Amino acid sequence: MSVSGAGGRVEPAGSGTAADGGFGVVHVAAGGTERRVSLAALAAVRLEDGRPVRSFPSYRGQRNYPGWYWSATMGRRVGFESWVERDHLVALDFDPAVTAVASQPFWLRWQAGDKVRRHAPDFFARLASGGALVVDSRPLDRIGERDREAFAAAGEACARLGWQYAVWGSAGPVRRLTCGGWPGTGIRGATTSWWQAGCGRRSPGRGR
């Protein structure tokens, strides 16, 4: 399997063991090397230092709007694939609970019947508490059955790592992590304005 942005070198594949719930992971290191690791090994990977596992294509007639956002948290550009993702990326960048953020951080692979499925979450956020948050951005009225299966798998994998996982919709701004956050698994919509939460904030472009 090839991954956009990888430099052509592929390291040996990790296996999805019973202890990992059958999950395997592919990520791309900073140098462009595609690495396949077990789910347990992912906990030690600095995903914020790597590259997206997918590119952000732009073509005539497409209905989503990909682009790059300058992140004050990262001091560099971070990609997004839609305006919904862009809004969520801005929210993560403003939140002082977030110390690093990466887009399209890894492929999660698992067996579904006789097929191998994969899913790339939209964002990975490193938290000041030492934990991590994985986010999928999707308008809640556009979540289909395959999406639900993928989100359920991502939630289970994150729970095994002790990470938070959430699906953020587009029905309003995003709840701040420092004001209650999100449950470890499950699908939730955005309900609280992150700029009105009163929990302190960071201004992109001005640092922390």
Side-chain angles (χ1 to χ4, degrees), residues 134-192:
V134 174
V135 174
D136 272 306
S137 299
R138 189 68 55 86
L140 301 185
D141 60 354
R142 294 178 57 187
I143 296 176
E145 185 59 34
R146 284 181 62 84
D147 295 323
R148 293 183 183 276
E149 293 174 2
F151 297 161
E156 180 184 344
C158 288
R160 288 176 176 272
L161 291 171
W163 292 353
Q164 298 179 55
Y165 173 75
V167 176
W168 286 350
S170 60
V174 179
R175 179 189 296 273
R176 294 183 57 82
L177 303 179
T178 50
C179 293
W182 294 83
T185 59
I187 296 175
R188 294 287 300 274
T191 58
T192 303

Side-chain angles (χ1 to χ4, degrees), residues 44-61:
V45 175
R46 286 184 54 83
L47 292 168
E48 59 268 41
D49 295 336
R51 298 184 184 182
V53 296
R54 292 198 298 170
S55 61
F56 306 97
S58 178
Y59 52 89
R60 183 185 298 273

Side-chain angles (χ1 to χ4, degrees), residues 61-80:
Q62 71 182 107
R63 301 182 66 178
N64 61 307
Y65 297 90
W68 295 91
Y69 166 77
W70 178 264
S71 166
T73 302
M74 300 302 293
R76 57 178 170 81
R77 298 184 305 166
V78 178
F80 59 85

